[in-house]
Amino acid sequence: GVAPHPAAAPPEFGAGGIDLEAVIAEIESGLIKQALEKARYSQKKAAELLKLTPRSLRYRLQKYGLEAE
């Protein structure tokens, strides 16, 4: 397959720790938006691009409030 894009450098892990859930949500929702744009907003095609089932993508769209795009 094609090599994936290099991931953005993870945020610095400071003395106060890090909000892992928030960081993951930001990355995941950003990639979902990119996949939807690339798939011309076909959820089925976007799910294929992300190697997810359509059901799993719909769950994430709902989780991040992206379904009405």
Side-chain angles (χ1 to χ4, degrees):
V2 178
H5 280 290
E12 288 297 311
F13 197 103
I18 192 167
D19 186 341
L20 183 62
E21 292 293 332
V23 172
I24 290 171
E26 188 176 325
I27 294 167
E28 193 171 35
S29 62
L31 290 170
I32 289 169
K33 288 176 191 175
Q34 287 180 48
L36 283 167
E37 288 171 14
K38 204 177 259 295
R40 295 197 176 108
Y41 299 93
S42 163
Q43 287 186 17
K44 184 175 186 285
K45 288 180 183 168
E48 289 170 5
L49 289 171
L50 294 165
K51 312 267 190 285
L52 296 172
T53 63
R55 182 177 181 188
S56 183
L57 177 60
R58 280 193 302 274
Y59 166 78
R60 286 169 167 84
L61 291 171
Q62 192 172 11
K63 178 179 174 181
Y64 299 122
L66 301 173
E67 65 247 288
E69 294 214 2

